[in-house]
Amino acid sequence: MDSPESDTLVDERPSDGGHDRFSHYVDKVQLTRSAVTGKAVIALCGKRWVPTREGERYPVCPACREIYAGLRS
């Protein structure tokens, strides 16, 4: 389900709710900009963080998955 406009990243910082770690869908332009500047990215679900690792080993955020599916249909 890869798209040229999005990439999947993971937020590994503990959240205030203590929920599981998820991979999130993020615009590739934001990802590149973050890699260069160190600034935060915003996932489709609204999660904001500075990515530091690849997200392939984590489950995809249910909210990001739902939003992404809606964009594709």
Side-chain angles (χ1 to χ4, degrees):
M1 181 160 35
D2 289 335
S3 164
E5 294 91 32
S6 67
D7 204 359
T8 307
L9 298 172
V10 67
D11 178 2
E12 292 196 354
R13 294 178 300 169
S15 67
D16 52 328
H19 63 80
D20 296 332
R21 297 174 180 171
F22 290 110
S23 296
H24 295 274
Y25 289 123
V26 175
D27 181 73
K28 283 189 177 187
V29 173
Q30 284 188 46
L31 175 60
T32 302
R33 187 175 299 134
S34 178
V36 173
T37 66
K39 292 189 177 184
V41 296
I42 302 172
L44 288 178
C45 68
K47 178 81 171 172
R48 182 184 294 254
W49 82 104
V50 177
T52 57
R53 301 194 182 213
E54 296 295 322
E56 288 87 18
R57 60 185 183 177
Y58 296 96
V60 175
C61 166
C64 282
R65 183 184 304 126
E66 185 176 324
I67 294 166
Y68 183 73
L71 293 173
R72 294 191 54 122
S73 54

